[in-house]
Amino acid sequence: MKYSTKLSDAIHILIYIIINSGKPITSDQIAESIRTNPGCVRQIMTLLKKQGIIKSVVGQPRPSLAKNVSEITLLDIYNAVEKDKAFLHLDMQTNRECIVGIHIQSTLQNYYDKIQNAAEKEMQEITLQEIMNSFYEKTVN
Amino acid sequence: MKYSTKLSDAIHILIYIIINSGKPITSDQIAESIRTNPGCVRQIMTLLKKQGIIKSVVGQPRPSLAKNVSEITLLDIYNAVEKDKAFLHLDMQTNRECIVGIHIQSTLQNYYDKIQNAAEKEMQEITLQEIMNSFYEKTVN
DNA sequence: CCTCGCTGTAAAAAATATAGTGACAGCATA
DNA sequence: TATGCTGTCACTATATTTTTTACAGCGAGG
């Protein structure tokens, strides 16, 4: 596969919505900003909508945030678009007749969980509010 | 691509080497335990060797650890086999003519780094010694 | 000195998650 | 009623890894 940029694109979409709130916002416009096509944008937006991060009405080009920016974390967005995908993956096809093959993968799961939790804890502490602030700082300079 | 299981397989190899130290260990044997082929095992072992995690001599089926198990961390192994691959990836093809496109990705890099650091810190605290202990516990039960 | 088994390595092939594309039914607005 | 947009699905293309295959070269043993 190629590297997933869904999280990056989702945040791009959210910021685009925030910045242009009030004006009509079509998936075509957003697609042009991300340099992809409208169908792709709508797919990501559908995932964000399912998680209650954004709101939208069929036929109306007026998407909006469903929560306050300070209540949306990077983890919320990640889980929405990547469906809780883990960073590390076990090899599930090892030889069950070998003592190492039997036990090693279940042993590792515990440690992989710890690593995932550490990353997710960090993601949970980063809000869209914070990202917006950093973004605005950049636009000034 | 499919999910990378290189880290899991690398640890599998290391434990196999530890458990069978003293006996001859061929890449064929290890490959059978992981259920892959010898070439694949040798490629991973080459990466581990480059990082000074294992030692081996051409033509001799006697690989061994190059360090003490308590000095090898999960991060060492990860960096060896995944070459410092990041968990999250920016979308580098956004539209530079759009205010969001210009700034959003560089804004995100900072946050992605934080998340990566949190995960790596956790990985650095997990040693092969610890994994071995957990593994032995499993084999008793 | 020759044979055998193994490692190290590179290049080609297969696998597969993911992005990207295209199409269309249905709602809202004017 | 016509137009523009969203939501959704199925299909295709793409990127990148894993896996496979092959072979040169070293070491050990007879």
Side-chain angles (χ1 to χ4, degrees):
Chain A
M1 67 191 160
K2 57 185 172 191
Y3 291 130
S4 175
T5 55
K6 264 192 204 163
L7 177 61
S8 299
D9 292 338
I11 295 169
H12 192 137
I13 291 170
L14 292 171
I15 292 188
Y16 194 98
I17 291 173
I18 293 169
I19 287 184
N20 295 286
S21 68
K23 309 176 207 166
I25 302 169
T26 67
S27 51
D28 273 63
Q29 285 169 37
I30 301 176
E32 199 179 343
S33 176
I34 301 185
R35 264 216 168 79
T36 179
N37 67 58
C40 204
V41 171
R42 290 202 289 270
Q43 280 174 347
I44 294 174
M45 288 177 72
T46 298
L47 295 171
L48 293 172
K49 194 175 177 180
K50 277 185 189 162
Q51 286 298 310
I53 295 172
I54 62 173
K55 285 182 291 193
S56 65
V57 179
V58 177
Q60 289 187 206
R62 260 174 287 281
S64 61
L65 295 198
K67 296 185 194 177
N68 191 285
V69 284
S70 62
E71 291 168 345
I72 301 172
T73 71
L74 209 62
L75 182 61
D76 294 332
I77 305 169
Y78 181 83
N79 286 339
V81 297
E82 297 285 7
K83 294 162 188 163
D84 308 271
K85 190 179 74 180
F87 290 141
L88 297 170
H89 300 273
L90 299 175
D91 183 345
M92 302 305 286
Q93 324 186 60
T94 55
N95 190 343
R96 313 304 289 178
E97 290 169 22
C98 165
I99 183 76
V100 181
I102 298 170
H103 296 296
I104 182 59
Q105 301 301 329
S106 65
T107 300
L108 280 181
Q109 182 66 67
N110 177 40
Y111 292 105
Y112 285 4
D113 286 346
K114 277 190 187 177
I115 296 163
Q116 186 77 28
N117 288 341
E120 293 194 354
K121 193 183 165 204
E122 195 68 32
M123 285 200 273
Q124 199 159 24
E125 284 171 10
I126 300 168
T127 64
L128 192 53
Q129 170 84 70
E130 202 178 338
I131 295 173
M132 280 302 302
N133 291 346
S134 301
F135 178 80
Y136 277 132
E137 271 179 44
K138 292 245 178 205
T139 61
V140 172
N141 302 330
Chain B
M1 70 189 158
K2 60 183 173 191
Y3 290 131
S4 176
T5 56
K6 263 193 205 162
L7 178 61
S8 299
D9 293 338
I11 296 169
H12 192 137
I13 291 170
L14 292 171
I15 293 188
Y16 194 98
I17 290 173
I18 294 169
I19 286 183
N20 295 286
S21 68
K23 308 176 207 165
I25 302 168
T26 67
S27 51
D28 273 64
Q29 285 170 37
I30 301 176
E32 199 179 344
S33 175
I34 301 185
R35 265 215 168 79
T36 178
N37 68 56
C40 204
V41 171
R42 289 203 288 270
Q43 278 173 349
I44 294 174
M45 288 178 71
T46 296
L47 295 171
L48 293 173
K49 195 176 177 181
K50 276 183 190 165
Q51 287 297 311
I53 295 172
I54 62 173
K55 285 183 292 191
S56 66
V57 180
V58 177
Q60 290 186 205
R62 259 172 289 280
S64 62
L65 296 198
K67 296 186 196 176
N68 192 286
V69 283
S70 62
E71 291 167 344
I72 300 171
T73 71
L74 209 62
L75 183 61
D76 294 333
I77 304 170
Y78 181 84
N79 285 339
V81 297
E82 298 284 6
K83 294 163 189 164
D84 309 88
K85 190 178 74 180
F87 290 141
L88 298 170
H89 299 274
L90 299 174
D91 184 345
M92 302 305 287
Q93 324 185 57
T94 56
N95 190 343
R96 314 302 290 179
E97 288 169 23
C98 165
I99 183 78
V100 181
I102 298 170
H103 297 296
I104 183 57
Q105 301 300 329
S106 65
T107 301
L108 281 181
Q109 183 65 68
N110 177 40
Y111 293 105
Y112 285 6
D113 287 345
K114 277 190 187 176
I115 296 164
Q116 187 77 28
N117 288 340
E120 293 194 352
K121 193 183 164 201
E122 195 68 33
M123 285 200 273
Q124 199 161 22
E125 283 170 9
I126 301 169
T127 64
L128 192 54
Q129 170 85 69
E130 201 178 338
I131 295 173
M132 280 303 303
N133 292 345
S134 301
F135 177 80
Y136 278 132
E137 270 180 41
K138 291 247 177 200
T139 62
V140 173
N141 302 330

